[in-house]
Amino acid sequence: MPELHPVVVSPPSPAGGRRVRVHGESLGLAHSLEDLSEFLRRAGLDIDPVTVAVSPLIDWRGVGPEQWGTQARE
């Protein structure tokens, strides 16, 4: 049975960036949608960088694609 979400993007780490896994294999720490798109391209998943944020193949853990690092608190 195929995985529902072969790509998992973890919540932002305390130091910034989000761990990216494809089929359980870690691809690295992405700091932007551009980083994520490049990791996926190298893994053989040709997801258009313009639509990567809404791809049904990606499970965004914790928060959505708008957050990649620590947020300044006022």
Side-chain angles (χ1 to χ4, degrees), residues 40-65:
L40 298 180
R41 184 191 68 77
R42 290 180 185 182
L45 294 173
D46 194 19
I47 300 174
D48 182 351
V50 174
T51 61
V52 72
V54 295
S55 172
L57 299 177
I58 300 174
D59 180 8
W60 296 95
R61 303 271 173 99
V63 295

Side-chain angles (χ1 to χ4, degrees), residues 15-51:
R18 298 177 77 165
R19 179 77 42 207
V20 178
R21 295 183 180 279
V22 173
H23 299 294
E25 180 181 339
S26 179
L27 300 184
L29 193 65
H31 293 274
S32 66
L33 285 173
E34 292 79 15
D35 286 352
L36 175 60
S37 295
E38 180 61 16
F39 287 161
L40 298 180
R41 184 191 68 77
R42 290 180 185 182
L45 294 173
D46 194 19
I47 300 174
D48 182 351
V50 174
T51 61

